[in-house]
Amino acid sequence: MPSDSGRVVCVTGAAGYIASWIVKLLLEKGYTVRGTVRNPDDPKNNHLRELEGAKERLTLCKADLLDYQSLRQAIDGCDGVFHTASPVTDDPEQMVEPAVIGTKNVINAAAEAKVRRVVFTSSIGAVHMDPNRHPDKVVDETCWSDLDFCKNTKNWYCYGKAVAEQTAWEEAKAKGVDLVVITPVLVLGPLLQNTVNASVLHILKYLTGSAKTYANSVQAYVHVKDVALAHILLFETPSASGRYLCAESVLHRGEVVEILAKFFPEYPIPTKCSDETKPRAKPYKFSNQKLKDLGLEFTPVKQCLYETVKSLQEKGHLPLPTQENDEPLTIIRS
């Protein structure tokens, strides 16, 4: 990828899991970054200030998704915007309205500031929630979640992400903004922030003993660094357009716990499925070809899981075992 060093870009929700990695990689590439956070003085943002290049080229801006003027000030003079900020909740009042209004505000502020491109972080939640999709249909960028199904099942996170992305496309078209969207699946990998986010908690529960069983379900996974790289790749590639599904593998939860148990047998990882009466859920098929065509190489899911656990240990969220299984992990890319 060519470096666009010297350019000024804005990253909304900069202290988040994915956003922190985007900020880190942008700084490494020589960008000047404005990161929006609710309170720049909050100690939970300290990990951003410690990044290489942060002292010289990172400014944390106080902004709120529902406060248009604060976003306008942060985005003014920027060449591009990475809009990652979004609530992560199943409370409809806290999820839907902030996600939609916040997206409108970011797109409108970007239009006023005449930014070159907006990269919008959507979610697999906006893509795959469709009970009528045939099991053999490949999940790709043409797929959208069924909004009625999301509402009826009270899956407000997926509903909010889908409506927010639709809003982004509508606003971008109306305002003439060059918009590219990335839809990551469940994101794992090393934490830069000190807190445990929702997606990493999905793995942590299998290691602490809080989960006694695993669900008879499947999940798609991707490495957080790959997601951050994909954001920057979409910003820097003039020909990039539309949506990009960001996924490496689909695993059954049983496969996840097997991998974890192999690398970390010292933890109380569950071995029993919570629902053994039904047939084992089959992984769905997906295509990540659009990102591969741009040159992105995905980190294998086994390495992703391994690095997630090592990071949880290093951050103090997991007790270090007395006899640590610390054999080096060798991954050969196919």
Side-chain angles (χ1 to χ4, degrees):
M1 288 186 289
S3 174
D4 285 25
S5 61
R7 290 196 167 176
V8 182
V9 292
C10 177
V11 179
T12 68
Y17 181 39
I18 296 171
S20 295
W21 271 93
I22 295 173
V23 172
K24 172 182 167 65
L25 298 181
L26 285 168
L27 290 171
E28 287 176 2
K29 288 175 70 71
Y31 283 86
T32 295
V33 181
R34 292 185 197 162
T36 74
V37 292
R38 291 191 176 185
N39 178 10
D41 298 324
D42 192 322
K44 75 175 185 181
N45 301 318
N46 287 347
H47 68 282
L48 295 173
R49 293 190 173 91
E50 293 165 4
L51 294 172
E52 185 180 341
K55 190 174 181 182
E56 300 80 18
R57 288 178 282 108
L58 173 65
T59 304
L60 296 182
C61 308
K62 181 179 174 63
D64 188 293
L65 288 179
L66 302 182
D67 180 353
Y68 178 77
Q69 285 306 318
S70 68
L71 289 172
R72 182 72 179 83
Q73 288 175 357
I75 292 171
D76 191 39
C78 287
D79 189 55
V81 175
F82 297 86
H83 179 37
T84 76
S86 178
V88 180
T89 174
D90 261 330
D91 182 325
E93 289 186 9
Q94 293 181 32
M95 178 65 212
V96 181
E97 189 178 12
V100 172
I101 295 175
T103 297
K104 279 187 180 179
N105 285 341
V106 169
I107 298 293
N108 287 330
E112 278 194 32
K114 295 180 170 57
V115 304
R116 181 165 67 86
R117 173 168 285 177
V118 174
V119 180
F120 177 82
T121 313
S122 187
S123 164
I124 188 66
V127 175
H128 87 299
M129 294 292 289
D130 181 2
N132 299 314
R133 189 182 68 248
H134 192 277
D136 292 333
K137 177 174 169 54
V138 175
V139 175
D140 62 15
E141 289 80 7
T142 65
C143 298
W144 281 89
S145 291
D146 184 311
L147 295 182
D148 288 333
F149 176 69
C150 291
K151 281 196 283 190
N152 293 337
T153 55
K154 294 184 167 42
N155 193 325
W156 297 110
Y157 174 75
C158 292
Y159 179 85
K161 293 300 288 189
V163 175
E165 188 191 333
Q166 289 174 353
T167 300
W169 285 117
E170 290 163 6
E171 289 293 313
K173 185 177 180 182
K175 302 290 183 178
V177 171
D178 181 6
L179 176 72
V180 184
V181 170
I182 182 167
T183 58
V185 293
L186 194 136
V187 182
L188 295 175
L191 302 154
L192 294 179
Q193 81 280 9
N194 289 317
T195 54
V196 178
N197 54 295
S199 61
V200 172
L201 189 62
H202 162 72
I203 296 303
L204 182 60
K205 69 183 181 185
Y206 289 139
L207 299 147
T208 59
S210 62
K212 306 299 182 189
T213 59
Y214 58 86
N216 182 13
S217 61
V218 298
Q219 185 87 47
Y221 299 93
V222 69
H223 196 292
V224 63
K225 186 176 181 181
D226 295 349
V227 179
L229 284 169
H231 277 78
I232 299 169
L233 187 59
L234 295 181
F235 178 68
E236 293 183 346
T237 307
S239 61
S241 66
R243 306 168 94 198
Y244 288 80
L245 183 62
C246 193
E248 198 280 326
S249 288
V250 179
L251 297 181
H252 190 277
R253 298 287 167 85
E255 294 174 287
V256 173
V257 295
E258 284 169 14
I259 294 167
L260 292 173
K262 182 181 176 184
F263 288 136
F264 304 98
E266 60 275 11
Y267 292 112
I269 296 163
T271 57
K272 186 176 175 59
C273 182
S274 60
D275 179 9
E276 294 179 328
T277 59
K278 294 177 185 173
R280 187 163 167 140
K282 293 181 179 179
Y284 62 83
K285 300 168 185 172
F286 70 92
S287 172
N288 57 13
Q289 196 59 46
K290 277 189 77 177
L291 276 174
K292 282 184 173 178
D293 287 346
L294 294 184
L296 188 69
E297 292 184 36
F298 286 93
T299 305
V301 70
K302 285 184 180 180
Q303 184 172 340
C304 186
L305 288 164
Y306 180 85
E307 290 181 12
T308 302
V309 179
K310 297 302 287 185
S311 178
L312 286 167
Q313 290 174 341
E314 289 162 11
K315 294 284 185 180
H317 299 299
L318 261 181
L320 285 168
T322 50
Q323 248 192 328
E324 192 172 351
N325 174 28
D326 211 9
E327 293 178 10
L329 174 66
T330 303
I331 296 292
I332 300 172
R333 291 189 184 276
S334 55

